Amino acid sequence: MNVPPELRYTDSHEWVRMEPDGAVSVGITWHAQDRLGDLVYVEVPKVGQSFDKGQACAVVESVKAASDIYAPIAGKVEAVNADLAGNPEKVNEDAYAAWMFRLRPSDLGQIESLLRAADYEKLIAAEEH
Amino acid sequence: MSASGLKRTALNEEHRALGARLTDFGGWEMPLHYGSQLEEHHRVRRDAGMFDVSHMLAVDIAGEGAEPFLRALLANDVKRLTATGRALYSCMLNEDAGVLDDLIAYRFGPSEFRVVVNAGTADKDLDWMRQQLAARGDRATMRPRRDLAMLAVQGPQARERFWAAWPATRQASESLKTFQAAQLTADGVDLVIARTGYTGEDGFEVMLPADRCVDLWRRLMDAQVAPCGLGARDTLRLEAGMNLYGQDMDESVTPMEAGLAWTVNLDPGHDFIGRQALERRSPRFQLLGLLLQDKGVLRSHQPVRAAGGEGLITSGTFSPTLSRSIALARLPLTAQAGDRVEVQIRGKWLHALAVKYPFVRKGQPLIELDHPTPPEKMQ
């Protein structure tokens, strides 16, 4: 099903990885890129920007449609993956390697309320029907 | 008929076996892509790809009244098909000169023609044609050919690969020029091969009995022709500046308002349905190309602001060959290629340039890009 068990997820199809230094990396899931099709643009936020949980912070655009990416938790952008601007296809090639930005969480408690892999699998199974 | 109510072509199982993402197109279950529509697009521009176009409908029209009937029905003039095997592209208009459909008409003999119409409009077209034939009383028969499948094999290597897959067809089709077709029998199969297409590349469109289509598809796969879906079909045709019925034109516009004045034959004596209205009406707008200057993707219905007034995108997409977004747009009559315009995309007004189209021919850009595509992208 392509839902790595060690990651966390949102119901808007972002994945979240906890980094050793306490930051979180964010990207879009395999399911999200599969639905969008070939990506042609990825617009990442700027380092230093702060977002609330659920706030639109990035955009991906495929030939088919544009889609907002939402901050899975509140935090400040510490790093962005500049490589994706020139190579949006990397998201299609390996969604979980193609991190888009890293957040320094402002409320660690929010991480706990992110979906676990099993919940995300249920969500996408429900969406297919 | 499938459980979902969508119609299926003879190649449906092949598409499924290849892992195609399927979609509803005009009531038919068709492949959107087989993995990557961008790769499929590039394969057609650089090599050879194939499309199942069996959702389109061939209608055979025959009899001594066939030519007068078609001369009335179509805005282009089939009288100009002066030999068997010639074909032309035409609009079919209603009495108000609105476009009912666009199609290709082939002459197969002095009194024998075939027209190929779009999938989504096939029922409407048949009703209209029957109605007109009955009203006019031309001595002609109309025969929809749902027994036929259609494949488009397109790209610089398309014809060679086709002949590699089916050597017995080579002799009859080798000398076809663009917009020419051959009717032939190869290995006992009756087929039509036309040097036409909807991609801006060389290639063939092939019409054959549906029960022979799977075999041909598989032989083409073995000959390294890439299966390509509707996603690539749309980016290819838009780069090539070809209209899509239902987006770039419909019954509410005339051919002149859709960049198709060149398909209308106004010679004296060519009295086609809609001619009078067409000559009475003045165009309200024109169709021009747009090239987006900023990042983003132009899409149908996005508003356009030009110096002379407002407009609307009819078809937009990302051009894989140019690595930029392109579109066809309805613009004020005062607009010209070279004008800077603005397009509203997701709430923001972005900059675009009005350009002549087509945007690409034989794999090469036809327009100047301010910021040339980096060399590493032009593999």
Side-chain angles (χ1 to χ4, degrees), chain A residues 78-111:
Chain A
E78 265 190 359
V80 298
N81 186 346
D83 194 29
L84 295 182
N87 302 93
E89 71 279 1
K90 288 192 166 176
V91 178
N92 297 114
E93 283 162 12
D94 191 340
Y96 300 107
W99 65 279
M100 292 186 180
F101 55 92
R102 286 197 174 115
L103 288 176
R104 174 66 47 187
S106 53
D107 177 357
L108 287 168
Q110 289 180 341
I111 294 177

Side-chain angles (χ1 to χ4, degrees), chain B residues 128-360:
Chain B
W128 170 261
M129 289 165 69
R130 286 182 178 129
Q131 197 188 328
Q132 299 311 315
L133 186 57
R136 288 175 47 89
D138 302 287
R139 290 172 62 117
T141 56
M142 269 178 51
R143 187 178 156 213
R145 299 296 307 268
R146 273 284 163 236
D147 57 307
L148 295 179
M150 289 189 251
L151 277 185
V153 187
Q154 301 279 301
Q157 304 305 322
R159 295 187 309 141
E160 282 298 333
R161 299 289 174 72
F162 186 81
W163 293 322
W166 204 345
T169 63
R170 185 178 197 124
Q171 206 197 10
S173 61
E174 203 163 20
S175 55
L176 287 174
K177 298 203 186 42
T178 316
F179 269 92
Q180 286 184 349
Q183 292 172 284
L184 59 144
T185 304
D187 301 319
V189 181
D190 295 332
L191 69 152
V192 169
I193 298 176
R195 197 168 179 185
T196 52
Y198 193 50
T199 60
E201 298 300 320
D202 198 357
F204 287 145
E205 294 184 304
V206 182
M207 301 178 244
L208 75 169
D211 59 12
R212 301 299 203 154
C213 191
V214 170
D215 183 55
L216 175 56
W217 177 269
R218 290 181 183 172
R219 281 186 276 135
L220 287 165
M221 294 270 313
D222 288 344
Q224 310 302 314
V225 179
C228 299
L230 293 176
R233 192 164 164 79
D234 193 50
T235 50
L236 287 161
R237 69 95 187 168
L238 194 43
E239 283 186 354
M242 294 172 166
N243 287 31
L244 175 62
Y245 188 79
Q247 283 194 342
D248 304 309
M249 70 285 197
D250 55 37
E251 292 179 35
S252 73
V253 305
T254 70
M256 285 41 184
E257 294 169 332
L260 296 177
W262 65 275
T263 68
V264 179
N265 180 294
L266 292 168
D267 287 349
H270 182 211
D271 292 321
F272 55 89
I273 296 165
R275 176 168 182 155
Q276 286 183 358
L278 191 62
E279 290 181 301
R280 251 194 344 256
R281 290 172 70 159
S282 302
R284 294 162 293 175
F285 34 74
Q286 59 173 321
L287 204 66
L288 270 182
L290 288 186
L291 180 72
L292 189 64
Q293 308 290 78
D294 296 314
K295 283 187 176 185
V297 180
L298 299 166
R299 302 189 193 273
S300 296
H301 310 302
Q302 287 165 346
V304 184
R305 272 197 314 224
E310 300 193 335
L312 195 74
I313 305 264
T314 54
S315 290
T317 194
F318 179 79
S319 158
T321 304
L322 302 177
S323 283
R324 302 274 286 281
S325 182
I326 58 174
L328 295 176
R330 233 164 247 174
L331 293 182
L333 295 169
T334 49
Q336 288 181 344
D339 286 356
R340 301 205 169 264
V341 303
E342 291 178 304
V343 185
Q344 192 178 39
I345 301 182
R346 286 158 55 83
K348 293 200 290 199
W349 288 95
L350 300 185
H351 297 288
L353 188 67
V355 295
K356 279 187 135 100
Y357 60 92
F359 304 87
V360 172

